[in-house]
Amino acid sequence: MSRQIQSKDGMPITLPEGLTEVQLSSFKPFNTWMSTLSRTLALQSDAAHPATVREKEANTYWPWIENYGAADYVEAVRLGSDLIERNIRLCSPARIDELVKIFIHGTRMEIGFWEMFPAK
């Protein structure tokens, strides 16, 4: 049975059955993602940051935000996640390591995107 834990930053995490906190905390992609999430949330908590603008007319990213909530996008994410979960089991450890490196690189690019807009 899954259980709830908290990250160092106090964010709730659902720990799936069979996965220990030690295993999760030693998984580098998860730590990279949590670090990115924490920094992004910190940026977004500043009212001067462009990502916090809630009015459609004033937010450059509004079409992008709407896309992420659209039914077709949500379904595409679900299908993609299912495909990844199904096929990752077929990958060799070397391929999984390569995919982890790609994920980390993508995460760093995401961090760089949000850090282009320093809070004023």
Side-chain angles (χ1 to χ4, degrees), residues 3-15 21 24-25 30-31 33-39 41:
R3 63 187 176 99
Q4 286 287 115
I5 61 172
Q6 284 196 338
S7 71
K8 292 180 275 185
D9 299 324
M11 286 186 264
I13 299 169
T14 301
L15 194 62
E21 288 183 56
L24 183 62
S25 67
F30 177 78
N31 292 322
W33 178 78
M34 283 299 295
S35 174
T36 302
L37 178 61
S38 295
R39 281 193 267 180
L41 291 174

Side-chain angles (χ1 to χ4, degrees), residues 51-94:
T52 64
V53 178
R54 306 284 190 256
E55 300 82 29
K56 292 180 189 182
E57 298 78 25
N59 192 325
T60 304
Y61 303 110
W62 195 258
W64 181 69
I65 292 166
E66 286 185 316
N67 184 55
Y68 273 80
D72 62 336
Y73 183 83
V74 171
E75 178 63 8
V77 169
R78 187 192 65 74
L79 289 171
S81 294
D82 289 349
L83 184 66
I84 290 168
E85 291 295 330
R86 214 173 30 253
N87 287 298
I88 195 69
R89 294 176 179 98
L90 306 173
C91 292
S92 68

